[in-house]
Structures are given as C-alpha cells and as structure tokens.
Amino acid sequence: MTFSFSSSYENPFLTATSRSVIADIHRLSRQLSSIDIPRPLAMFCTLFRLKVPESSRSNVLFRGVRVWTEMGDICENESFDGHRKTVVEHTLNILLLPGIHCEENKSQGSTDSLVSVSGSPSSAPHYPATSLRVPGTSLSVSSPLHFQLHVVTRLSFNEQGRVTHHRDFWDIKDVIGLVPGVSLAQWIGTRLAAFGLSHLSRFWNREKVHALEQAVMAEAGDLDRTAADARSTLSMKNALGLDGVQYLRSPDFNR
C-alpha cells in the first residue's frame, strides 16, 4: 500500500498530513508490535556499546508484548473517475507476556498491518496462542492478558492506486473495555440501563392511560347527570296543568 504525496492519516487520537510522518508512525507501530525484555547483561553491553559474550545463548530474557491484526470483512467500491474506496473491518490483538501461554501456535488468515490486505494461505503468519493452560490438566482457559479492539479502517485511493486518505474508527465502548474489569461492569451496567428504561416507559404509558380513563369517566358522569336532569324536567307538568305543552330541553341533552 503506497501513499500519495498529499495523503493523510487520522484516528481518534492523532492526525498526520505528511507522507513522511505517516511512514514514521507505521514504522513505530511495527516496532511496538513485538517487544522483548532483554537480559541484564545484554542491556549493559548495549548501553556501554560493548560486545555481547558469545557464550550467551540469547539476549532476550522473556517476551513482553505481541500485537497483531486479524482481518475481517473488506468492502470496495469504485467511482467512474477511477477513484476507489475500501472499508476494512479488523481486530487489533494485544497479548501481554506471550511466553506464559500455550506453546502451540495457531495460524491466522490475517496480517499484522494494512500494508498487505491479501495473501496466500501458505504465507499466513503464525501467532502465539491466547489461552492459558490449567496446571495438571489438558484444559485451557481464555487469557486475561489478551485484549482486543475492533477497528474499522476507511481507505481512499486515487486513479494511480495510491492512498489519499486513511482513517481508523473505533468505538469508545471497545476502548473502555480494554481496562481490566470494565468489560464485566459494562456488560452489567448496559443491561441494567436498558431494563430501567423499559420499566420507565411502561410506567409512563400506564400513567397516561390512567389519566385518560379518569377523563373519560368524568365526562361520562357529566353526561349522565345532564340526561337525568332532562328526564326529570320532561316528567314535570307546567303550572297550568297542561300536559300537552312541550318543554324546552337543555342544549346539553342532545349531546
């Protein structure tokens, strides 16, 4: 993936508008994707620019961090002028202390960067397992040191096939979930919030229905009283004792 001279890169934390700055960011991300803790002797020799003894088997004391990306769905569309846009869904994996996890490696049909989106299955990279083995058994459990962040990347290409704009999106919910213990609290809190809104909606509708019933009952009572008054008026005789004289009815009686 080649960037154009006027390309730009954005994510929720930074914005780069120079191809050289974008290259530096990508180079740093590749370096941070694999961090090892050196042995004290190797660190001492490196600081003072001394030669490391050949008897030392390895300069690495233990592996600290491994970071990789697992590809998901890819969607592309091309306009009539040759410009193309691509949306990539992928998952950023962060594994702390990979050396204490299961020794079996698993093959992932993915890549550790957006530089190469496609690749043959034979060249698929291998990543350390993300589970911990239960001592004394053959069982394994999910590691609490494995963190995942779902990312959506949008790429814009010009007619030469070079990237003009690269932007990464992620949800604040997924970012907060990287903090240990927050995922469980978030799982419980979101469901309690939805449950509370459901009860609030039902209570509100119940109050509105009750108020409407009270208004209908009050109106019905007024009509009953009006009809009763009209019937009592019609049953009365006039002062002259003339039964055939029609009496005027109340205007509300015709309602």
Side-chain angles (χ1 to χ4, degrees):
M1 188 171 66
T2 306
F3 287 84
S4 65
F5 290 99
S6 59
S7 59
S8 61
Y9 170 73
E10 293 183 69
N11 66 32
F13 295 115
L14 57 89
T15 299
T17 57
S18 171
R19 188 170 68 171
S20 61
V21 176
I22 296 174
D24 293 337
I25 294 175
H26 283 200
R27 189 181 304 110
L28 178 62
S29 65
R30 284 192 293 268
Q31 293 174 352
L32 295 178
S33 64
S34 178
I35 300 178
D36 296 327
I37 307 302
R39 295 180 180 275
L41 179 59
M43 184 182 299
F44 178 82
C45 294
T46 302
L47 291 176
F48 293 95
R49 298 183 179 182
L50 301 177
K51 184 178 180 181
V52 181
E54 297 180 359
S55 59
S56 179
R57 294 177 298 176
S58 175
N59 296 330
V60 177
L61 183 61
F62 62 89
R63 293 179 295 171
V65 179
R66 291 293 183 272
V67 180
W68 70 94
T69 297
E70 295 179 359
M71 286 298 177
D73 296 333
I74 300 177
C75 179
E76 288 186 328
N77 66 330
E78 186 173 357
S79 60
F80 65 92
D81 56 355
H83 289 75
R84 182 165 51 95
K85 291 185 178 181
T86 303
V87 177
V88 182
E89 295 184 9
H90 53 105
T91 303
L92 178 66
N93 293 267
I94 303 174
L95 182 64
L96 304 180
L97 302 178
I100 67 174
H101 295 75
C102 297
E103 295 181 357
E104 295 85 358
N105 291 343
K106 61 179 182 178
S107 175
Q108 304 281 351
S110 58
T111 178
D112 58 350
S113 67
L114 293 177
V115 175
S116 176
V117 179
S118 60
S120 60
S122 60
S123 61
H126 296 265
Y127 301 112
T130 57
S131 58
L132 293 173
R133 189 175 301 280
V134 179
T137 66
S138 60
L139 302 176
S140 60
V141 296
S142 299
S143 174
L145 302 178
H146 179 215
F147 305 97
Q148 292 182 313
L149 178 63
H150 300 285
V151 183
V152 176
T153 297
R154 187 178 64 187
L155 301 171
S156 299
F157 298 85
N158 57 14
E159 60 275 8
Q160 287 81 26
R162 300 192 175 203
V163 178
T164 58
H165 186 64
H166 176 185
R167 185 170 184 178
D168 290 333
F169 302 87
W170 53 74
D171 194 347
I172 187 64
K173 177 181 177 181
D174 298 329
V175 176
I176 297 176
L178 295 176
V179 180
V182 174
S183 297
L184 178 60
Q186 195 176 61
W187 187 89
I188 298 174
T190 52
R191 281 156 179 77
L192 288 178
F195 189 73
L197 289 177
S198 175
H199 275 271
L200 178 61
S201 176
R202 293 179 184 179
F203 176 77
W204 197 348
N205 290 334
R206 190 183 302 116
E207 290 295 324
K208 292 178 64 176
V209 171
H210 181 69
L212 182 61
E213 290 178 350
Q214 293 292 335
V216 171
M217 292 177 61
E219 186 176 358
D222 293 340
L223 291 176
D224 291 342
R225 286 192 297 270
T226 303
D229 294 341
R231 286 194 297 268
S232 63
T233 302
L234 290 175
S235 63
M236 295 174 57
K237 295 182 178 180
N238 58 14
L240 299 177
L242 300 177
D243 295 337
V245 178
Q246 296 182 353
Y247 294 91
L248 294 177
R249 297 183 180 181
S250 172
D252 296 333
F253 182 73
N254 294 324
R255 290 184 180 178

